[in-house]
Each structure stands twice: as C-alpha cells, then as structure tokens.
Amino acid sequence: MTVESTAARSDARRSGTGGKRATQAATGRAAGNGTAEAPEAATAAGTPRKAAAKTSRKPAAESTGSTKSAGKTTRKAPAKSAAKAAAKAPAKGRAPAKASAKAPAKAPAKARGSAKARTRAPGDGPGQPEPELVQLLTPEGERVTHPDYDVDLSAEEIQGLYRDMVLTRRFDAEATALQRQGELGLWASLLGQEAAQIGSGRALRPDDYVFPTYREHGVAWCRDVDPTMLLGMFRGVNNGGWDPNTNNFHLYTIVIGSQVLHATGYAMGVAKDGADSAVIAYFGDGASSQGDVAEAFTFSAVYNAPVVFFCQNNQWAISEPTERQSRVPIYQRAQGFGFPGVRVDGNDVLACLAVTKAAVERARAGEGPMLIEAFTYRMGAHTTSDDPTRYRSDEERTEWEAKDPIQRLRVYLESAGLADDAFFAGVEEESEAMGRHVREAIRTMPDPDTMAIFENAYADGHALVDEERAQFASYLASFADSDSQEGR
C-alpha cells in the first residue's frame, strides 16, 4: 500500500464519501483561500444546501459504470510499472546517496526558515477542508444573510458595536504601552479579537454569568467593569479588583481551562435553582487541549447545563498552531459529547452577536450546552513576554489585517449611510480621552497594604497564619531600621 493511498483513505474517512458531508468538503476546498465568501455567496444567491448536495451526488451516480470498466483495464498496470521502477531504483539510487548523507547537517536551518516563512491557510489540519463559517459581514464590509442566524439592529446599535470595539482596542493598546514602560508586570493583548468579544458580550443579559480567561477585556467592557480595574492584577496591587457578583463577571483566570469547569458547575446550580439565566465560559484554542475542558463538556451534557462554551480560536496557543492541537475543527468536538457546535467568523461582530444570542437563548430554554468556535486571529503577541516573529510569518499577519473587524464594520457603516464623519470623529476623540484616563489611573494607583495578604485566609484566624504575619512584619521592620541607621 502506498503512502498516497493511505492518506487518501484517511481523508475520505474524515470528510465522508457522499451526500451532505461530501458537498461540505467540496465547498470547503473551494473556499480554501481563507475567506468564507464562497459558502456565503451560495447561500445569499438562494441555492439551498440540500439541492446542492443532490447535484453533487448525481454525476457520481452517472459515472459508476465507467468506473467499473476502467478498473478492469488499469488494475494490473500500476503493479507492473511499480515492479519495473523497483528493479531500476537500486541502480539509480546509488548516486544521490552521497549527497543525502550531508543533508542532515543543513536540515535544522532549513526547517527553521520554512516554519517562519510559512503562511498557513485557515484550515484545521493537513489535508482537511475548511469548514463553513457563519458570516453576516464580509471582510469587504458587505452585509450578507445566513439561513440560521441573523440580527436586526438599528443604526444606533451598530454604531454602539463600532464604538465598543474602538474603545476596547485603544484601552488594550494603552495597557501594552504601559507594560513596555514598566508600569505593568505583564499584559495579554486582545488585538484582532475585538469582534468576537464585543459581539458575544453584547448578546448577554445582565443576569447571565461570565467566566473569562485573562484576555476578555472586551467582554469586561460589555459587563461595565471599570477598565482600570483590569490593570490592578497585572500591576500587582490586587487579586482582581472587582466584585464578581456586581457585574456577573468572574475574576480573570490565569490557570488554563479551569474556568470552564467552574462555569459548568455554576450552570448546574442555576438549573437546580430554576433560574432562566445562562452561563458563558470563554477559553482559547490552546485551552481546548486541557482535560478540564473535556470534563466540563461531559458534565454539561449529562446534566443539560445552561452553559455556552465560547472558544476564541486565534490559531496560536503561544507558538503552537491549531493544526498541532486538533485533528478536527474545534467546534466539531461538541458532537462527541452530545451537544451542538458552530463555527462563526470571529472577525464579524454581527455574526458573533447573532450566534451567541441564539446559543444563550437556547440555554435559557433548557436545551442544554452549545459550543461556539469564533475563528479569529491574534494580531499581536500572546503576552508582552512573547515574540510572535519567531514562529509565524509577516505574510500571515498581513493576510489577516485585511480582515480587521473594526475596519470591516466601519466600511459597512459608511457604505450603508449609517454613520457620518462627525460620529467617527467623536469616537476617536473619546478613545483619546480614554487613553489619558488609563495612563493617569495606573500611575496614581495606590500600593496595597503589605500585610493584607494575611487577611481573609481563615474566617476565624489561624495560629500558623498569625506566626507568619509576625515574621513578615519583623522582616519589613528590618528595612526601616537599616534606613534610619544610614540617615544618621
């Protein structure tokens, strides 16, 4: 059996051999350039998916007879040609043997160069077709429709989404600059993921509960959390800075994937209380490889928990691309746990809003969990301690800059006559004011009480904690004594 035939059979097992799955595979290959225009154009033109599936099956049925006859004439030919090639191979193979002996010395350098220059198509693994995206706004800013998901928003509401994304991006840029200036210990940027966060965040009700990671600055904005509160933890002056129950927005979670289990447990409690609110858990494509996420999927399905799993697939878990984490698209994992999954264009704020709104309404109605994969791109570094130029190409980023979520919505607002120059100028002025506010707030943020770390460790106190508090107080006092002696 040849390598080619094994790969072909493996691809056939993944994509299916006929009917709807074959049609989807063909559609994905046609759209393999990284955009979703091809599937959506077919939908917008009014071509039903079922009809397309029937059309794709018909030619296969008509060619069945010719396939059989061809099989009789060609079955022996490859065997004979392969035998001849094998007989000649040893004689011809001796010459290149010397050259190949030197190849390993240069291989690592070539491998590093090719990895950096590689521009990946946004698929999910070697040889796999790109799945369809739910998309309502193309990268060119053209409004399209989808048969299952849509939103009907006023001009003011769409303007609000644009304002949310611009201000969130400005806050994020200011925080990155402050870290570079030594004001923060670390910062995780959301650059490029504004549409996924603002769209999903604005789909929630105030009584819904959010479990974020450490990058959901846009969702925090939608939950009315003071942006400067997000900086306290990264500056090291507090352990979160806000009351989670005030905004139904949990504290940032640094441990990868653990908040998905917390969200599932909370949702199970919501169901037992008889409430009609929903819970949403945010995580990244890298976290999807954690066991906590799989356990959360299992429990949520078994207990029919009202939880929405929102995966922002920005395609890089630090330096690890998605195709090295999963052999199937992330949203398809939900099928194995018994609940639906959907992939949405994560750079389309309207689509993210529509899909998340449908998912939380489904959860509130008692229909159980749902997985949303927002297919987006991390434009910046994983955190400010990361250098993405070491593992991904400039061409890849340039390709995704053309799909920028803010520019996409602005083009739509302008072309549809939903906003004028005065509106955009006002948003820009507001973003400048936010930048000044964030800079002033972080530089005037008071240092915490050094002894506060020992508070609230135990409700009634503890002998060991009391001993540690006394030791630490003595340690701090030693610095004061040395300073006073130097001043004499």
Side-chain angles (χ1 to χ4, degrees), residues 167-409:
L167 295 183
T168 299
R169 178 171 290 188
R170 179 52 192 268
F171 164 72
D172 179 70
E174 203 64 45
T176 301
L178 287 167
Q179 193 282 330
R180 298 304 190 198
Q181 296 164 12
E183 300 290 350
L184 302 177
L186 189 73
W187 185 249
S189 174
L190 59 56
L191 183 62
Q193 300 178 218
E194 295 88 356
Q197 296 193 16
I198 296 300
S200 60
R202 288 303 181 196
L204 306 176
R205 290 191 330 208
D207 60 334
D208 295 331
Y209 206 100
V210 179
F211 285 83
T213 63
Y214 46 80
R215 201 189 299 273
E216 273 66 60
H217 320 314
V219 185
W221 171 264
C222 294
R223 303 303 284 181
D224 296 326
V225 176
D226 185 347
T228 59
M229 289 290 186
L230 305 178
L231 303 175
M233 181 179 67
F234 293 97
R235 187 173 173 82
V237 302
N238 59 45
N239 294 321
W242 65 91
D243 181 359
N245 295 323
T246 300
N247 309 81
N248 279 9
F249 186 79
H250 198 266
L251 297 177
Y252 273 5
T253 305
I254 304 298
V255 179
I256 305 300
S258 64
Q259 77 281 358
V260 184
L261 269 178
H262 303 157
T264 299
Y266 192 94
M268 290 165 60
V270 167
K272 289 183 179 296
D273 289 342
D276 69 340
S277 58
V279 179
I280 185 168
Y282 289 87
F283 60 101
D285 50 296
S288 69
S289 299
Q290 293 289 338
D292 287 1
V293 175
E295 292 172 9
F297 286 178
T298 298
F299 273 85
S300 66
V302 171
Y303 286 91
N304 204 47
V307 59
V308 175
F309 300 108
F310 195 94
C311 176
Q312 293 177 83
N313 180 4
N314 62 25
Q315 303 180 57
W316 290 96
I318 307 184
S319 58
E320 195 76 357
T322 307
E323 70 256 21
R324 294 184 183 175
Q325 304 172 56
S326 178
R327 299 298 297 179
V328 298
I330 292 174
Y331 79 97
Q332 290 184 3
R333 293 187 186 181
Q335 299 176 13
F337 293 90
F339 56 87
V342 62
R343 171 179 274 194
V344 61
D345 185 343
N347 285 21
D348 178 356
V349 67
L350 300 183
C352 290
L353 173 62
V355 171
T356 308
K357 188 175 182 351
V360 293
E361 289 178 352
R362 179 182 179 278
R364 295 190 198 107
E367 297 180 31
M370 182 171 176
L371 171 61
I372 299 173
E373 179 193 356
F375 195 78
T376 181
Y377 190 76
R378 193 192 76 215
M379 299 293 288
H382 174 70
T383 67
T384 46
S385 64
D386 173 42
D387 179 10
T389 63
R390 300 185 64 181
Y391 54 81
R392 69 183 190 191
S393 67
D394 293 336
E395 291 81 4
E396 183 175 293
R397 173 171 173 141
T398 301
E399 176 190 351
W400 279 90
E401 283 178 344
K403 305 173 186 179
D404 182 88
I406 296 179
Q407 181 62 23
R408 180 185 306 199
L409 188 59

